PDB file of all heavy atoms in Angstrom:
ATOM      1  N   GLU A 503     117.485  70.252 162.969  1.00  0.00           N
ATOM      2  CA  GLU A 503     117.237  69.054 162.173  1.00  0.00           C
ATOM      3  C   GLU A 503     116.762  69.434 160.777  1.00  0.00           C
ATOM      4  O   GLU A 503     115.602  69.239 160.403  1.00  0.00           O
ATOM      5  CB  GLU A 503     116.261  68.135 162.911  1.00  0.00           C
ATOM      6  CG  GLU A 503     116.845  67.669 164.239  1.00  0.00           C
ATOM      7  CD  GLU A 503     116.044  66.598 164.936  1.00  0.00           C
ATOM      8  OE1 GLU A 503     114.983  66.181 164.411  1.00  0.00           O
ATOM      9  OE2 GLU A 503     116.475  66.169 166.025  1.00  0.00           O
ATOM     10  N   GLN A 504     117.688  69.991 160.016  1.00  0.00           N
ATOM     11  CA  GLN A 504     117.419  70.463 158.657  1.00  0.00           C
ATOM     12  C   GLN A 504     116.905  69.343 157.756  1.00  0.00           C
ATOM     13  O   GLN A 504     116.139  69.577 156.821  1.00  0.00           O
ATOM     14  CB  GLN A 504     118.695  71.076 158.070  1.00  0.00           C
ATOM     15  CG  GLN A 504     118.623  71.497 156.615  1.00  0.00           C
ATOM     16  CD  GLN A 504     117.725  72.698 156.384  1.00  0.00           C
ATOM     17  OE1 GLN A 504     117.375  73.403 157.313  1.00  0.00           O
ATOM     18  NE2 GLN A 504     117.334  72.910 155.133  1.00  0.00           N
ATOM     19  N   GLU A 505     117.309  68.110 158.030  1.00  0.00           N
ATOM     20  CA  GLU A 505     116.910  66.992 157.167  1.00  0.00           C
ATOM     21  C   GLU A 505     115.399  66.810 157.131  1.00  0.00           C
ATOM     22  O   GLU A 505     114.852  66.331 156.132  1.00  0.00           O
ATOM     23  CB  GLU A 505     117.600  65.697 157.611  1.00  0.00           C
ATOM     24  CG  GLU A 505     117.200  65.166 158.969  1.00  0.00           C
ATOM     25  CD  GLU A 505     117.976  65.782 160.122  1.00  0.00           C
ATOM     26  OE1 GLU A 505     118.721  66.755 159.890  1.00  0.00           O
ATOM     27  OE2 GLU A 505     117.845  65.274 161.259  1.00  0.00           O
ATOM     28  N   ARG A 506     114.707  67.188 158.182  1.00  0.00           N
ATOM     29  CA  ARG A 506     113.238  67.092 158.161  1.00  0.00           C
ATOM     30  C   ARG A 506     112.666  68.014 157.093  1.00  0.00           C
ATOM     31  O   ARG A 506     111.758  67.637 156.346  1.00  0.00           O
ATOM     32  CB  ARG A 506     112.659  67.456 159.534  1.00  0.00           C
ATOM     33  CG  ARG A 506     112.951  66.448 160.637  1.00  0.00           C
ATOM     34  CD  ARG A 506     112.377  66.919 161.965  1.00  0.00           C
ATOM     35  NE  ARG A 506     112.725  66.014 163.047  1.00  0.00           N
ATOM     36  CZ  ARG A 506     111.962  65.002 163.467  1.00  0.00           C
ATOM     37  NH1 ARG A 506     110.794  64.782 162.892  1.00  0.00           N
ATOM     38  NH2 ARG A 506     112.351  64.231 164.457  1.00  0.00           N
ATOM     39  N   ARG A 507     113.180  69.248 157.027  1.00  0.00           N
ATOM     40  CA  ARG A 507     112.707  70.189 156.009  1.00  0.00           C
ATOM     41  C   ARG A 507     113.064  69.710 154.608  1.00  0.00           C
ATOM     42  O   ARG A 507     112.260  69.828 153.678  1.00  0.00           O
ATOM     43  CB  ARG A 507     113.304  71.579 156.261  1.00  0.00           C
ATOM     44  CG  ARG A 507     112.707  72.291 157.444  1.00  0.00           C
ATOM     45  CD  ARG A 507     113.184  73.728 157.550  1.00  0.00           C
ATOM     46  NE  ARG A 507     114.542  73.830 158.058  1.00  0.00           N
ATOM     47  CZ  ARG A 507     114.864  73.755 159.345  1.00  0.00           C
ATOM     48  NH1 ARG A 507     113.929  73.547 160.245  1.00  0.00           N
ATOM     49  NH2 ARG A 507     116.124  73.889 159.726  1.00  0.00           N
ATOM     50  N   GLU A 508     114.267  69.195 154.461  1.00  0.00           N
ATOM     51  CA  GLU A 508     114.699  68.722 153.144  1.00  0.00           C
ATOM     52  C   GLU A 508     113.840  67.551 152.668  1.00  0.00           C
ATOM     53  O   GLU A 508     113.453  67.487 151.494  1.00  0.00           O
ATOM     54  CB  GLU A 508     116.172  68.314 153.212  1.00  0.00           C
ATOM     55  CG  GLU A 508     117.111  69.496 153.422  1.00  0.00           C
ATOM     56  CD  GLU A 508     118.540  69.062 153.704  1.00  0.00           C
ATOM     57  OE1 GLU A 508     118.781  67.833 153.844  1.00  0.00           O
ATOM     58  OE2 GLU A 508     119.425  69.951 153.780  1.00  0.00           O
ATOM     59  N   THR A 509     113.544  66.634 153.570  1.00  0.00           N
ATOM     60  CA  THR A 509     112.685  65.496 153.207  1.00  0.00           C
ATOM     61  C   THR A 509     111.292  65.962 152.813  1.00  0.00           C
ATOM     62  O   THR A 509     110.718  65.480 151.822  1.00  0.00           O
ATOM     63  CB  THR A 509     112.588  64.504 154.390  1.00  0.00           C
ATOM     64  OG1 THR A 509     113.896  64.005 154.687  1.00  0.00           O
ATOM     65  CG2 THR A 509     111.678  63.341 154.054  1.00  0.00           C
ATOM     66  N   LEU A 510     110.746  66.915 153.568  1.00  0.00           N
ATOM     67  CA  LEU A 510     109.412  67.437 153.251  1.00  0.00           C
ATOM     68  C   LEU A 510     109.402  68.084 151.876  1.00  0.00           C
ATOM     69  O   LEU A 510     108.467  67.862 151.088  1.00  0.00           O
ATOM     70  CB  LEU A 510     108.982  68.440 154.316  1.00  0.00           C
ATOM     71  CG  LEU A 510     107.612  69.092 154.089  1.00  0.00           C
ATOM     72  CD1 LEU A 510     106.497  68.049 154.104  1.00  0.00           C
ATOM     73  CD2 LEU A 510     107.342  70.180 155.133  1.00  0.00           C
ATOM     74  N   GLN A 511     110.417  68.867 151.558  1.00  0.00           N
ATOM     75  CA  GLN A 511     110.475  69.519 150.251  1.00  0.00           C
ATOM     76  C   GLN A 511     110.583  68.488 149.123  1.00  0.00           C
ATOM     77  O   GLN A 511     109.937  68.622 148.069  1.00  0.00           O
ATOM     78  CB  GLN A 511     111.657  70.494 150.191  1.00  0.00           C
ATOM     79  CG  GLN A 511     111.600  71.626 151.200  1.00  0.00           C
ATOM     80  CD  GLN A 511     110.473  72.616 150.966  1.00  0.00           C
ATOM     81  OE1 GLN A 511     109.731  72.516 149.998  1.00  0.00           O
ATOM     82  NE2 GLN A 511     110.336  73.569 151.864  1.00  0.00           N
ATOM     83  N   THR A 512     111.388  67.454 149.339  1.00  0.00           N
ATOM     84  CA  THR A 512     111.520  66.386 148.331  1.00  0.00           C
ATOM     85  C   THR A 512     110.188  65.679 148.114  1.00  0.00           C
ATOM     86  O   THR A 512     109.754  65.458 146.971  1.00  0.00           O
ATOM     87  CB  THR A 512     112.592  65.367 148.774  1.00  0.00           C
ATOM     88  OG1 THR A 512     113.845  66.045 148.899  1.00  0.00           O
ATOM     89  CG2 THR A 512     112.734  64.249 147.756  1.00  0.00           C
ATOM     90  N   HIS A 513     109.529  65.308 149.202  1.00  0.00           N
ATOM     91  CA  HIS A 513     108.223  64.654 149.098  1.00  0.00           C
ATOM     92  C   HIS A 513     107.219  65.540 148.367  1.00  0.00           C
ATOM     93  O   HIS A 513     106.448  65.065 147.517  1.00  0.00           O
ATOM     94  CB  HIS A 513     107.680  64.347 150.494  1.00  0.00           C
ATOM     95  CG  HIS A 513     108.340  63.191 151.185  1.00  0.00           C
ATOM     96  ND1 HIS A 513     109.192  62.316 150.540  1.00  0.00           N
ATOM     97  CD2 HIS A 513     108.246  62.756 152.484  1.00  0.00           C
ATOM     98  CE1 HIS A 513     109.604  61.404 151.396  1.00  0.00           C
ATOM     99  NE2 HIS A 513     109.053  61.648 152.574  1.00  0.00           N
ATOM    100  N   SER A 514     107.206  66.823 148.720  1.00  0.00           N
ATOM    101  CA  SER A 514     106.218  67.749 148.158  1.00  0.00           C
ATOM    102  C   SER A 514     106.392  67.901 146.656  1.00  0.00           C
ATOM    103  O   SER A 514     105.421  67.849 145.887  1.00  0.00           O
ATOM    104  CB  SER A 514     106.332  69.113 148.846  1.00  0.00           C
ATOM    105  OG  SER A 514     106.161  69.000 150.234  1.00  0.00           O
ATOM    106  N   HIS A 515     107.625  68.085 146.227  1.00  0.00           N
ATOM    107  CA  HIS A 515     107.902  68.227 144.792  1.00  0.00           C
ATOM    108  C   HIS A 515     107.492  66.973 144.037  1.00  0.00           C
ATOM    109  O   HIS A 515     106.838  67.035 142.982  1.00  0.00           O
ATOM    110  CB  HIS A 515     109.387  68.522 144.578  1.00  0.00           C
ATOM    111  CG  HIS A 515     109.756  68.684 143.135  1.00  0.00           C
ATOM    112  ND1 HIS A 515     110.150  67.631 142.333  1.00  0.00           N
ATOM    113  CD2 HIS A 515     109.773  69.789 142.339  1.00  0.00           C
ATOM    114  CE1 HIS A 515     110.386  68.069 141.112  1.00  0.00           C
ATOM    115  NE2 HIS A 515     110.175  69.371 141.096  1.00  0.00           N
ATOM    116  N   TYR A 516     107.834  65.833 144.564  1.00  0.00           N
ATOM    117  CA  TYR A 516     107.510  64.558 143.913  1.00  0.00           C
ATOM    118  C   TYR A 516     106.000  64.359 143.827  1.00  0.00           C
ATOM    119  O   TYR A 516     105.464  63.984 142.767  1.00  0.00           O
ATOM    120  CB  TYR A 516     108.157  63.423 144.697  1.00  0.00           C
ATOM    121  CG  TYR A 516     107.837  62.037 144.175  1.00  0.00           C
ATOM    122  CD1 TYR A 516     108.352  61.599 142.960  1.00  0.00           C
ATOM    123  CD2 TYR A 516     107.016  61.170 144.908  1.00  0.00           C
ATOM    124  CE1 TYR A 516     108.059  60.318 142.474  1.00  0.00           C
ATOM    125  CE2 TYR A 516     106.720  59.908 144.432  1.00  0.00           C
ATOM    126  CZ  TYR A 516     107.241  59.487 143.221  1.00  0.00           C
ATOM    127  OH  TYR A 516     106.943  58.228 142.752  1.00  0.00           O
ATOM    128  N   PHE A 517     105.299  64.607 144.917  1.00  0.00           N
ATOM    129  CA  PHE A 517     103.848  64.380 144.972  1.00  0.00           C
ATOM    130  C   PHE A 517     103.118  65.300 143.995  1.00  0.00           C
ATOM    131  O   PHE A 517     102.238  64.853 143.250  1.00  0.00           O
ATOM    132  CB  PHE A 517     103.372  64.617 146.406  1.00  0.00           C
ATOM    133  CG  PHE A 517     101.993  64.110 146.689  1.00  0.00           C
ATOM    134  CD1 PHE A 517     101.730  62.747 146.775  1.00  0.00           C
ATOM    135  CD2 PHE A 517     100.947  64.999 146.901  1.00  0.00           C
ATOM    136  CE1 PHE A 517     100.448  62.280 147.061  1.00  0.00           C
ATOM    137  CE2 PHE A 517      99.679  64.537 147.185  1.00  0.00           C
ATOM    138  CZ  PHE A 517      99.425  63.181 147.267  1.00  0.00           C
ATOM    139  N   ARG A 518     103.494  66.574 143.978  1.00  0.00           N
ATOM    140  CA  ARG A 518     102.863  67.515 143.042  1.00  0.00           C
ATOM    141  C   ARG A 518     103.114  67.089 141.601  1.00  0.00           C
ATOM    142  O   ARG A 518     102.192  67.090 140.761  1.00  0.00           O
ATOM    143  CB  ARG A 518     103.404  68.938 143.258  1.00  0.00           C
ATOM    144  CG  ARG A 518     103.031  69.581 144.571  1.00  0.00           C
ATOM    145  CD  ARG A 518     103.341  71.086 144.563  1.00  0.00           C
ATOM    146  NE  ARG A 518     104.698  71.383 144.132  1.00  0.00           N
ATOM    147  CZ  ARG A 518     105.739  71.495 144.933  1.00  0.00           C
ATOM    148  NH1 ARG A 518     105.595  71.316 146.233  1.00  0.00           N
ATOM    149  NH2 ARG A 518     106.938  71.793 144.457  1.00  0.00           N
ATOM    150  N   HIS A 519     104.354  66.738 141.306  1.00  0.00           N
ATOM    151  CA  HIS A 519     104.730  66.348 139.949  1.00  0.00           C
ATOM    152  C   HIS A 519     103.938  65.137 139.490  1.00  0.00           C
ATOM    153  O   HIS A 519     103.408  65.093 138.356  1.00  0.00           O
ATOM    154  CB  HIS A 519     106.227  66.052 139.892  1.00  0.00           C
ATOM    155  CG  HIS A 519     106.702  65.591 138.551  1.00  0.00           C
ATOM    156  ND1 HIS A 519     106.794  64.252 138.199  1.00  0.00           N
ATOM    157  CD2 HIS A 519     107.106  66.294 137.455  1.00  0.00           C
ATOM    158  CE1 HIS A 519     107.221  64.156 136.958  1.00  0.00           C
ATOM    159  NE2 HIS A 519     107.430  65.374 136.488  1.00  0.00           N
ATOM    160  N   GLU A 520     103.815  64.133 140.350  1.00  0.00           N
ATOM    161  CA  GLU A 520     103.118  62.908 139.973  1.00  0.00           C
ATOM    162  C   GLU A 520     101.618  63.140 139.802  1.00  0.00           C
ATOM    163  O   GLU A 520     100.999  62.572 138.883  1.00  0.00           O
ATOM    164  CB  GLU A 520     103.372  61.816 141.017  1.00  0.00           C
ATOM    165  CG  GLU A 520     104.821  61.337 141.064  1.00  0.00           C
ATOM    166  CD  GLU A 520     105.280  60.774 139.727  1.00  0.00           C
ATOM    167  OE1 GLU A 520     104.570  59.911 139.169  1.00  0.00           O
ATOM    168  OE2 GLU A 520     106.347  61.202 139.233  1.00  0.00           O
ATOM    169  N   LEU A 521     101.005  63.948 140.648  1.00  0.00           N
ATOM    170  CA  LEU A 521      99.571  64.235 140.514  1.00  0.00           C
ATOM    171  C   LEU A 521      99.296  64.974 139.203  1.00  0.00           C
ATOM    172  O   LEU A 521      98.324  64.675 138.500  1.00  0.00           O
ATOM    173  CB  LEU A 521      99.068  65.057 141.698  1.00  0.00           C
ATOM    174  CG  LEU A 521      98.899  64.323 143.030  1.00  0.00           C
ATOM    175  CD1 LEU A 521      98.385  65.289 144.096  1.00  0.00           C
ATOM    176  CD2 LEU A 521      97.942  63.135 142.904  1.00  0.00           C
ATOM    177  N   LYS A 522     100.136  65.940 138.878  1.00  0.00           N
ATOM    178  CA  LYS A 522      99.948  66.664 137.614  1.00  0.00           C
ATOM    179  C   LYS A 522     100.137  65.735 136.424  1.00  0.00           C
ATOM    180  O   LYS A 522      99.394  65.810 135.431  1.00  0.00           O
ATOM    181  CB  LYS A 522     100.916  67.851 137.532  1.00  0.00           C
ATOM    182  CG  LYS A 522     100.531  69.012 138.411  1.00  0.00           C
ATOM    183  CD  LYS A 522     101.224  70.309 138.038  1.00  0.00           C
ATOM    184  CE  LYS A 522     102.666  70.305 138.460  1.00  0.00           C
ATOM    185  NZ  LYS A 522     103.307  71.640 138.274  1.00  0.00           N
ATOM    186  N   LYS A 523     101.109  64.849 136.513  1.00  0.00           N
ATOM    187  CA  LYS A 523     101.358  63.899 135.431  1.00  0.00           C
ATOM    188  C   LYS A 523     100.154  62.981 135.224  1.00  0.00           C
ATOM    189  O   LYS A 523      99.827  62.595 134.090  1.00  0.00           O
ATOM    190  CB  LYS A 523     102.608  63.082 135.743  1.00  0.00           C
ATOM    191  CG  LYS A 523     103.125  62.261 134.570  1.00  0.00           C
ATOM    192  CD  LYS A 523     104.558  61.790 134.819  1.00  0.00           C
ATOM    193  CE  LYS A 523     104.610  60.700 135.850  1.00  0.00           C
ATOM    194  NZ  LYS A 523     105.971  60.092 135.961  1.00  0.00           N
ATOM    195  N   LEU A 524      99.463  62.658 136.315  1.00  0.00           N
ATOM    196  CA  LEU A 524      98.271  61.815 136.220  1.00  0.00           C
ATOM    197  C   LEU A 524      97.077  62.556 135.623  1.00  0.00           C
ATOM    198  O   LEU A 524      96.113  61.928 135.175  1.00  0.00           O
ATOM    199  CB  LEU A 524      97.895  61.288 137.605  1.00  0.00           C
ATOM    200  CG  LEU A 524      98.783  60.181 138.173  1.00  0.00           C
ATOM    201  CD1 LEU A 524      98.520  60.002 139.669  1.00  0.00           C
ATOM    202  CD2 LEU A 524      98.536  58.862 137.434  1.00  0.00           C
ATOM    203  N   GLY A 525      97.133  63.890 135.629  1.00  0.00           N
ATOM    204  CA  GLY A 525      96.048  64.671 135.049  1.00  0.00           C
ATOM    205  C   GLY A 525      95.173  65.382 136.058  1.00  0.00           C
ATOM    206  O   GLY A 525      94.157  65.975 135.689  1.00  0.00           O
ATOM    207  N   PHE A 526      95.536  65.366 137.339  1.00  0.00           N
ATOM    208  CA  PHE A 526      94.750  66.062 138.357  1.00  0.00           C
ATOM    209  C   PHE A 526      95.018  67.563 138.319  1.00  0.00           C
ATOM    210  O   PHE A 526      96.121  68.009 137.975  1.00  0.00           O
ATOM    211  CB  PHE A 526      95.077  65.528 139.751  1.00  0.00           C
ATOM    212  CG  PHE A 526      94.524  64.167 140.042  1.00  0.00           C
ATOM    213  CD1 PHE A 526      95.368  63.065 140.099  1.00  0.00           C
ATOM    214  CD2 PHE A 526      93.166  63.986 140.260  1.00  0.00           C
ATOM    215  CE1 PHE A 526      94.868  61.804 140.375  1.00  0.00           C
ATOM    216  CE2 PHE A 526      92.655  62.721 140.536  1.00  0.00           C
ATOM    217  CZ  PHE A 526      93.504  61.625 140.590  1.00  0.00           C
ATOM    218  N   HIS A 527      94.006  68.339 138.696  1.00  0.00           N
ATOM    219  CA  HIS A 527      94.114  69.792 138.770  1.00  0.00           C
ATOM    220  C   HIS A 527      94.543  70.162 140.190  1.00  0.00           C
ATOM    221  O   HIS A 527      93.760  70.015 141.128  1.00  0.00           O
ATOM    222  CB  HIS A 527      92.767  70.428 138.415  1.00  0.00           C
ATOM    223  CG  HIS A 527      92.706  71.915 138.579  1.00  0.00           C
ATOM    224  ND1 HIS A 527      93.820  72.726 138.477  1.00  0.00           N
ATOM    225  CD2 HIS A 527      91.646  72.739 138.847  1.00  0.00           C
ATOM    226  CE1 HIS A 527      93.450  73.982 138.665  1.00  0.00           C
ATOM    227  NE2 HIS A 527      92.156  74.011 138.896  1.00  0.00           N
ATOM    228  N   ILE A 528      95.773  70.629 140.368  1.00  0.00           N
ATOM    229  CA  ILE A 528      96.262  70.963 141.705  1.00  0.00           C
ATOM    230  C   ILE A 528      96.443  72.471 141.891  1.00  0.00           C
ATOM    231  O   ILE A 528      97.074  72.906 142.858  1.00  0.00           O
ATOM    232  CB  ILE A 528      97.576  70.221 142.032  1.00  0.00           C
ATOM    233  CG1 ILE A 528      98.724  70.729 141.162  1.00  0.00           C
ATOM    234  CG2 ILE A 528      97.400  68.715 141.880  1.00  0.00           C
ATOM    235  CD1 ILE A 528     100.092  70.303 141.668  1.00  0.00           C
ATOM    236  N   GLY A 529      95.858  73.264 141.029  1.00  0.00           N
ATOM    237  CA  GLY A 529      95.936  74.705 141.165  1.00  0.00           C
ATOM    238  C   GLY A 529      97.355  75.213 141.024  1.00  0.00           C
ATOM    239  O   GLY A 529      98.136  74.714 140.217  1.00  0.00           O
ATOM    240  N   GLU A 530      97.719  76.201 141.870  1.00  0.00           N
ATOM    241  CA  GLU A 530      99.041  76.831 141.794  1.00  0.00           C
ATOM    242  C   GLU A 530      99.944  76.396 142.934  1.00  0.00           C
ATOM    243  O   GLU A 530     100.901  77.100 143.279  1.00  0.00           O
ATOM    244  CB  GLU A 530      98.880  78.357 141.814  1.00  0.00           C
ATOM    245  CG  GLU A 530      98.038  78.921 140.683  1.00  0.00           C
ATOM    246  CD  GLU A 530      98.607  78.605 139.318  1.00  0.00           C
ATOM    247  OE1 GLU A 530      99.841  78.685 139.154  1.00  0.00           O
ATOM    248  OE2 GLU A 530      97.824  78.261 138.418  1.00  0.00           O
ATOM    249  N   SER A 531      99.669  75.264 143.527  1.00  0.00           N
ATOM    250  CA  SER A 531     100.456  74.819 144.679  1.00  0.00           C
ATOM    251  C   SER A 531     101.934  74.674 144.336  1.00  0.00           C
ATOM    252  O   SER A 531     102.297  74.103 143.315  1.00  0.00           O
ATOM    253  CB  SER A 531      99.932  73.475 145.194  1.00  0.00           C
ATOM    254  OG  SER A 531     100.795  72.950 146.182  1.00  0.00           O
ATOM    255  N   THR A 532     102.778  75.190 145.238  1.00  0.00           N
ATOM    256  CA  THR A 532     104.228  75.012 145.111  1.00  0.00           C
ATOM    257  C   THR A 532     104.820  74.530 146.438  1.00  0.00           C
ATOM    258  O   THR A 532     106.036  74.605 146.644  1.00  0.00           O
ATOM    259  CB  THR A 532     104.921  76.335 144.714  1.00  0.00           C
ATOM    260  OG1 THR A 532     104.611  77.332 145.695  1.00  0.00           O
ATOM    261  CG2 THR A 532     104.467  76.804 143.344  1.00  0.00           C
ATOM    262  N   THR A 533     103.968  74.050 147.340  1.00  0.00           N
ATOM    263  CA  THR A 533     104.415  73.727 148.698  1.00  0.00           C
ATOM    264  C   THR A 533     103.937  72.332 149.106  1.00  0.00           C
ATOM    265  O   THR A 533     103.489  71.539 148.277  1.00  0.00           O
ATOM    266  CB  THR A 533     103.869  74.758 149.700  1.00  0.00           C
ATOM    267  OG1 THR A 533     102.435  74.634 149.769  1.00  0.00           O
ATOM    268  CG2 THR A 533     104.239  76.182 149.291  1.00  0.00           C
ATOM    269  N   HIS A 534     104.000  72.067 150.397  1.00  0.00           N
ATOM    270  CA  HIS A 534     103.591  70.800 150.979  1.00  0.00           C
ATOM    271  C   HIS A 534     102.081  70.670 151.124  1.00  0.00           C
ATOM    272  O   HIS A 534     101.594  69.618 151.516  1.00  0.00           O
ATOM    273  CB  HIS A 534     104.249  70.642 152.357  1.00  0.00           C
ATOM    274  CG  HIS A 534     104.107  71.879 153.204  1.00  0.00           C
ATOM    275  ND1 HIS A 534     104.917  72.979 153.020  1.00  0.00           N
ATOM    276  CD2 HIS A 534     103.256  72.205 154.188  1.00  0.00           C
ATOM    277  CE1 HIS A 534     104.564  73.930 153.874  1.00  0.00           C
ATOM    278  NE2 HIS A 534     103.551  73.483 154.589  1.00  0.00           N
ATOM    279  N   ILE A 535     101.345  71.729 150.847  1.00  0.00           N
ATOM    280  CA  ILE A 535      99.878  71.687 150.793  1.00  0.00           C
ATOM    281  C   ILE A 535      99.487  71.529 149.329  1.00  0.00           C
ATOM    282  O   ILE A 535      99.781  72.406 148.507  1.00  0.00           O
ATOM    283  CB  ILE A 535      99.252  72.961 151.382  1.00  0.00           C
ATOM    284  CG1 ILE A 535      99.597  73.076 152.873  1.00  0.00           C
ATOM    285  CG2 ILE A 535      97.742  72.973 151.182  1.00  0.00           C
ATOM    286  CD1 ILE A 535      99.203  74.396 153.500  1.00  0.00           C
ATOM    287  N   VAL A 536      98.839  70.405 149.009  1.00  0.00           N
ATOM    288  CA  VAL A 536      98.566  70.073 147.605  1.00  0.00           C
ATOM    289  C   VAL A 536      97.084  69.730 147.448  1.00  0.00           C
ATOM    290  O   VAL A 536      96.643  68.663 147.875  1.00  0.00           O
ATOM    291  CB  VAL A 536      99.429  68.890 147.129  1.00  0.00           C
ATOM    292  CG1 VAL A 536      99.258  68.685 145.627  1.00  0.00           C
ATOM    293  CG2 VAL A 536     100.900  69.096 147.473  1.00  0.00           C
ATOM    294  N   PRO A 537      96.297  70.617 146.848  1.00  0.00           N
ATOM    295  CA  PRO A 537      94.891  70.289 146.638  1.00  0.00           C
ATOM    296  C   PRO A 537      94.674  69.541 145.324  1.00  0.00           C
ATOM    297  O   PRO A 537      95.424  69.723 144.363  1.00  0.00           O
ATOM    298  CB  PRO A 537      94.227  71.669 146.565  1.00  0.00           C
ATOM    299  CG  PRO A 537      95.287  72.540 145.953  1.00  0.00           C
ATOM    300  CD  PRO A 537      96.617  71.992 146.435  1.00  0.00           C
ATOM    301  N   ILE A 538      93.669  68.690 145.316  1.00  0.00           N
ATOM    302  CA  ILE A 538      93.089  68.220 144.052  1.00  0.00           C
ATOM    303  C   ILE A 538      91.732  68.902 143.956  1.00  0.00           C
ATOM    304  O   ILE A 538      90.831  68.630 144.766  1.00  0.00           O
ATOM    305  CB  ILE A 538      92.932  66.693 144.000  1.00  0.00           C
ATOM    306  CG1 ILE A 538      94.287  66.009 143.865  1.00  0.00           C
ATOM    307  CG2 ILE A 538      92.029  66.287 142.830  1.00  0.00           C
ATOM    308  CD1 ILE A 538      94.207  64.493 143.798  1.00  0.00           C
TER     309      ILE A 538
END
């Protein structure tokens, strides 16, 4: 079920991008684990 991985990657990229755009410090995250 490759689509599960693809969906997770899409969500992760979007979430990181939006948090950074808002001005939050998310460190060096490039994955589905995203700290503020």
